[in-house]
Amino acid sequence: MTGEFATNDNTAGAGSGSGSGPGAGEADAPDQLEFAALLCSRVCHDVISPVGAIVNGLEVLEEEEDQEMREHALILIAKSALQASAKLQFARLAFGASGSAGAHIEIADARRAAEGLMAGGRITLAWDTKPAALHKTRLKLLMNLLQFATGAVPRGGELKIIVENGNEGMVIVATGPRARIPEHSNLAEGDKFDGLPDSRAIQPYLIGLLGKQLDASLKVEQAMEEGPVTFAISYGPNATVDDGMIG
């Protein structure tokens, strides 16, 4: 994500001195330090629940002598450890520098991370992917969009992930009871902040940044109330990164 702020028109002037001059745009985008802090806050929010459950389970093992209670604690610890691991593996692909030694990451790795994140939940994933691998920045966009799209089905449902070859784009279709367009979708589509940013808005904002870097545009649509919500990524003429097989 290095350099994204310098190239993003929305963030011109952010973090340069006091930012009190005309067009500083404090309400339009976070500066680099604020962006990093909000992104870290988002990751911590995702992992704090299973980590806290592990601590609770360990406390039970330390204090409880009843064998049945100890068995329940061990089950809780094992389940929570798997959840924490899945969340961190997903975050590594979505927010980190995973695979920085190479230009591409296999979609199979992303699929395992996403399936792990959704395991035991109310959302299922269906995949229709043509390339075997994606450029790592495109994969980062896909992972963030996938997690953001879960907000379209708050009562559970299905996300269908379609990845076409080359510059033909990517689509995620969210279906489920009372489906809706998620909050802050306008930021994911590239709009400016209209107020102070918070950790809930940072992922759609990141999606918008990644889209600009890739010359990609996102359109979020819902044809009818509570019907399927479509998240469609299309690439512009300056999208030049290659997808396909690693090596």
Side-chain angles (χ1 to χ4, degrees), residues 178-246:
R178 299 194 180 182
R180 65 190 184 192
I181 292 179
E183 186 181 13
H184 302 305
S185 287
N186 62 310
L187 295 177
E189 292 176 319
D191 284 359
K192 297 180 180 181
F193 277 104
D194 57 6
L196 294 175
D198 58 39
S199 60
R200 293 173 300 174
I202 204 63
Q203 186 169 48
Y205 177 67
L206 175 60
I207 290 169
L209 284 181
L210 291 169
K212 289 174 184 176
Q213 186 179 23
L214 291 166
D215 190 29
S217 60
L218 169 67
K219 189 68 175 178
V220 183
E221 295 181 309
Q222 186 176 35
M224 59 181 182
E225 186 177 359
E226 299 187 9
V229 181
T230 301
F231 303 78
I233 292 284
S234 58
Y235 295 108
N238 296 321
T240 58
V241 298
D242 296 322
D243 300 325
M245 293 298 295
I246 295 178

Side-chain angles (χ1 to χ4, degrees), residues 154-172:
R155 298 198 172 193
E158 180 188 77
L159 299 183
K160 183 172 184 180
I161 302 101
I162 303 168
V163 182
E164 302 290 351
N165 284 316
N167 289 339
E168 295 180 22
M170 304 184 289
V171 178
I172 296 178

